[in-house]
Structures are given as structure tokens and as C-alpha cells.
């Protein structure tokens, strides 16, 4: 089997490739060619340190596996990554391990692809302004993937609580996007939001990537025709979007059962602000044309994407395949 470090994983995956493979997995799920198994979550310190173990099976690819990922916010002060983990990939015909990869880059880029795919299929075609709420690990992946699939974007705004950290992040964005991801940033304006409310009011697409347990996007701020991809709610009790806004929007999910348990729709369901019937369907069904998407420019649309291990496993498999071709990583006998 083969082990890939963060640097070797980055050499094996790029944004267009990952966007394609995420769409492939969403479609495979819609066609009942995947299995997603129960997730294990644990809060070491609520809001500061947690971990989850996700697993699943891709039937057509004949692979299964699991990912353990951790988030320790105080690592930043220790000059350590806040997000770390490992992905284990197995052959579904023999049960033999194919390899292990570092998980943080794969988690970041496939999650960025999910937010962008939500906008690709649900946002208005004339959308020009993107707002990303949160400036942590996930923010740059969301921006890189959105710019790759939304050619009409001309303004990217980022909002976060720590204004000093936010300004530093936005200042570095053009260089990082160009040199880390090969993204063309010509004619794109990058802004640091001084007011979240004002930024929401002028945005066509909003992607939320926070760990908030209190809604930060208010119903009265969001204008008609906006699309929102909610990414941060991946554990019971997390919520980024006002329940009243959820009740008025067209709702889509990546994994209906999982989202109802721990996603953005969890709390509005428990509050009675929405029912299961409010959920239009899963994004894979939308991509395949099995369900209807946006039907007017005035509708507000929301994708609740909690993330699925099958995305990580497929991305890890592709990184391992590239590593085999390029002789990257470390081969281990077991």
C-alpha cells in the first residue's frame, strides 16, 4: 500500500478534477451506487475541539474506506494546523488496503467543490457577487472552486469576526489563488466585509463556512434571487442560517438523512419551522435532472451540504492512482 503526505496529495489533485469527481459521486449516489455509513462525532471542547469519523462504499469504483478528521482551534496559537486527519482506502473485492492519505487538503478541496456545485446548479446565471462567510481553513477552497465554475463572478467578498485576520486573509487571496490553485484572478475584485449585514444584502451567492451554533445569516438581510450553500453545519447543534429563511427557500441537500440529523436543516426541523417535505431533494438528483431546480430569478435557494465520506474516499483513490503513475509517496508492506 502507499502513504501520501499533504504535499503529495496536492500534486495528485487539482480543482477542475475534484469538481468533476464530486459531481460523479453525487450522481452515483442518486443512482444507488454508493453507501454512506453512520458518522461518529465527538466534541472534546464544544466550539473549540472536535473530531469525526466518516465512512462509505463506492460500488462502481469497488472501493470503501473511512476518514478521521480533527479540528482543534487552539492549534493556531501553537503554530499547528487546526484541521488534520487521515483517509484509509480499501479494495472492495479483496478487503486489502490500497493506501492512506493525509486528509486536510482532500477535505478542503472536495468541500469547496460541494459549495461551488450548489451555486453552479442553483444560483442565478447572471450572479456576479460571491460572499464567503468565514476565513478559516475552508474559505480559500470555496473561493477557488467557485471561481472555477462560475465564469460571471467579478467580486468576491469575505466576512469574519476577526477583522485583523480577515484583512490579512483577503490581502493574500490573489497570490494564493494563482500560485496554489492556478486560478485566473484577472478582473476579480476582492473585499473584506466591514459589515456582514451589508455584505449579505448585496450578494448574489453566499457560502457559509463557520462553526456557528447561532444563526448568523438573518432572513431580513437576504434579497430575492440569492443562493446560499451552507457548509459549516456538520454536527448536531450547528446552525448558520435563520430558520425563518430556511422555511421560505427552496431547500436541497447532499445526503438527506445525514442533513436531517446534523446539517443545516436539523434545527429548523426540530423547531417546526420546516418539515421534511420542504426538502426538494438531493443535489445528485438535481444534477441528473430527476428533480427541478430554480424556477424563477426571485427564488431563494439553499444547499445544505454536510459532507460525505464517499467524496473523500473517491478523491483519495484518485490521488493514490496519480501517485502510482508518478511514483509519489511511500510504499509500505503490511
Amino acid at each position: 500500500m502507499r502513504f501520501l503526505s499533504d504535499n503529495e496529495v496536492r500534486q495528485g489533485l487539482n480543482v477542475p478534477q475534484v469538481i468533476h469527481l464530486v459531481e460523479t459521486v453525487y450522481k452515483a449516489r442518486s443512482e444507488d451506487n454508493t453507501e454512506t455509513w453512520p458518522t461518529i462525532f465527538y466534541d472534546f471542547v464544544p466550539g473549540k475541539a472536535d473530531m469525526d469519523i466518516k465512512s462509505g462504499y463506492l460500488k462502481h469504483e469497488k472501493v470503501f474506506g473511512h476518514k478521521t478528521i480533527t479540528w482543534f482551534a487552539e492549534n493556531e496559537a501553537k503554530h499547528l494546523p487546526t484541521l488534520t486527519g487521515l483517509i484509509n482506502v480499501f479494495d472492495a473485492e479483496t478487503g486489502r488496503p490500497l493506501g492512506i492519505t493525509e486528509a486536510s487538503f482532500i477535505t478542503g478541496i472536495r468541500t469547496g467543490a460541494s459549495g461551488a456545485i450548489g451555486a453552479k446548479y442553483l444560483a442565478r446565471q447572471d450572479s456576479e457577487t460571491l460572499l464567503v462567510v468565514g476565513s478559516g481553513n475552508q474559505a480559500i477552497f470555496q473561493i477557488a472552486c467557485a471561481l472555477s465554475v462560475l465564469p460571471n463572478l467579478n467580486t468576491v467578498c469575505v466576512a469574519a469576526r476577526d477583522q485583523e485576520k480577515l484583512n490579512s486573509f483577503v490581502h493574500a487571496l490573489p497570490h494564493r489563488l494563482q500560485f496554489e490553485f492556478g486560478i485566473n484572478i484577472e478582473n476579480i475584485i476582492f473585499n473584506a466585509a466591514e459589515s456582514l449585514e451589508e455584505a449579505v444584502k448585496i450578494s448574489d451567492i453566499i457560502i457559509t463556512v463557520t462553526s456557528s451554533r447561532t444563526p448568523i445569516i438573518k432572513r431580513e438581510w437576504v434579497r430575492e434571487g440569492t443562493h446560499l450553500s451552507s457548509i459549516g453545519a456538520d454536527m448536531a447543534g450547528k446552525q448558520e442560517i435563520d430558520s425563518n429563511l430556511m422555511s421560505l427557500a427552496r431547500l436541497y441537500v447532499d445526503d438527506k438523512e445525514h442533513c436531517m440529523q446534523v446539517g443545516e436543516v436539523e434545527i429548523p426541523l426540530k423547531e417546526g419551522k420546516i418539515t421534511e417535505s420542504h426538502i426538494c431533494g438531493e443535489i445528485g438528483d438535481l444534477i441528473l435532472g430527476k428533480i427541478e431546480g430554480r424556477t424563477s430569478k426571485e427564488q431563494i435557494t439553499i444547499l445544505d451540504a454536510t459532507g460525505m465520506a464517499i467524496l473523500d474516499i473517491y478523491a483519495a483513490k484518485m490521488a493514490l492512482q496519480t501517485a502510482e503513475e508518478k511514483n509519489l509517496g511511500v510504499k509500505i508492506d503490511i
Side-chain angles (χ1 to χ4, degrees):
M1 57 177 282
R2 193 175 293 266
F3 174 79
L4 303 184
S5 68
D6 175 80
N7 181 56
E8 289 150 354
V9 170
R10 288 172 185 265
Q11 293 180 60
L13 295 172
N14 59 52
V15 168
Q17 177 188 13
V18 174
I19 289 170
H20 174 73
L21 73 82
V22 169
E23 286 200 21
T24 299
V25 173
Y26 283 154
K27 290 187 285 188
R29 175 176 171 80
S30 176
E31 294 169 332
D32 198 31
N33 283 319
T34 67
E35 294 284 346
T36 301
W37 299 318
T39 300
I40 297 170
F41 291 110
Y42 188 75
D43 258 334
F44 295 99
V45 182
K48 291 186 177 180
D50 59 52
M51 71 113 228
D52 60 63
I53 302 171
K54 296 181 177 180
S55 57
Y57 170 33
L58 292 107
K59 300 175 186 177
H60 273 185
E61 297 300 321
K62 297 182 174 60
V63 293
F64 68 95
H66 56 87
K67 177 183 80 166
T68 299
I69 195 82
T70 70
W71 177 72
F72 279 64
E74 293 183 359
N75 277 5
E76 187 171 358
K78 301 172 184 176
H79 305 291
L80 294 171
T82 55
L83 192 77
T84 53
L86 295 172
I87 302 169
N88 296 262
V89 183
F90 295 81
D91 185 321
E93 292 185 308
T94 66
R96 299 280 293 175
L98 297 174
I100 299 173
T101 73
E102 201 282 332
S104 58
F105 182 78
I106 287 176
T107 299
I109 197 168
R110 67 85 168 157
T111 308
S114 295
I117 289 166
K120 174 183 175 181
Y121 286 95
L122 289 168
R124 300 188 331 271
Q125 293 298 308
D126 60 355
S127 296
E128 296 181 341
T129 303
L130 167 68
L131 169 65
V132 173
V133 184
S135 61
N137 289 296
Q138 187 51 230
I140 193 162
F141 293 104
Q142 295 294 334
I143 295 166
C145 292
L147 289 173
S148 295
V149 301
L150 302 167
N152 292 330
L153 286 182
N154 57 37
T155 303
V156 175
C157 184
V158 186
R161 288 177 296 182
D162 186 330
Q163 197 67 37
E164 184 178 348
K165 179 182 174 183
L166 171 63
N167 290 336
S168 176
F169 174 78
V170 172
H171 178 73
L173 261 178
H175 176 83
R176 290 189 64 192
L177 287 168
Q178 189 170 0
F179 289 96
E180 291 181 31
F181 298 92
I183 302 297
N184 180 10
I185 47 86
E186 190 177 359
N187 301 321
I188 304 294
I189 298 169
F190 297 96
N191 293 320
E194 295 183 4
S195 162
L196 177 58
E197 177 180 350
E198 294 306 313
V200 169
K201 286 180 176 179
I202 61 171
S203 297
D204 300 315
I205 299 167
I206 300 169
I207 302 178
T208 56
V209 284
T210 75
S211 58
S212 180
R213 292 177 177 268
T214 304
I216 53 176
I217 305 296
K218 306 299 183 184
R219 163 66 190 98
E220 58 270 23
W221 299 351
V222 179
R223 63 182 180 180
E224 288 186 346
T226 302
H227 168 72
L228 299 93
S229 288
S230 172
I231 305 299
D234 61 355
M235 186 178 290
K238 290 185 178 182
Q239 186 181 19
E240 299 180 295
I241 299 174
D242 188 340
S243 294
N244 292 320
L245 177 58
M246 298 287 284
S247 68
L248 297 173
R250 286 181 66 85
L251 300 180
Y252 299 82
V253 294
D254 59 352
D255 177 332
K256 186 175 180 181
E257 183 180 357
H258 194 204
C259 287
M260 289 173 63
Q261 293 171 349
V262 300
E264 190 65 38
V265 299
E266 175 219 352
I267 292 176
L269 281 167
K270 289 178 177 176
E271 291 174 340
K273 295 293 180 71
I274 65 171
T275 64
E276 186 176 342
S277 64
H278 278 84
I279 301 170
C280 297
E282 295 189 351
I283 189 71
D285 295 333
L286 178 62
I287 293 170
L288 288 174
K290 295 181 178 182
I291 58 174
E292 198 169 37
R294 172 183 292 276
T295 58
S296 77
K297 286 193 171 184
E298 292 72 37
Q299 286 171 344
I300 294 171
T301 56
I302 297 175
L303 172 67
D304 176 5
T306 64
M308 298 180 289
I310 49 178
L311 298 172
D312 301 291
I313 294 161
Y314 191 33
K317 183 207 175 212
M318 297 304 294
L320 287 163
Q321 186 172 307
T322 301
E324 188 76 32
E325 295 165 0
K326 296 183 177 181
N327 195 30
L328 299 172
V330 179
K331 292 194 75 173
I332 304 168
D333 289 326
I334 58 167

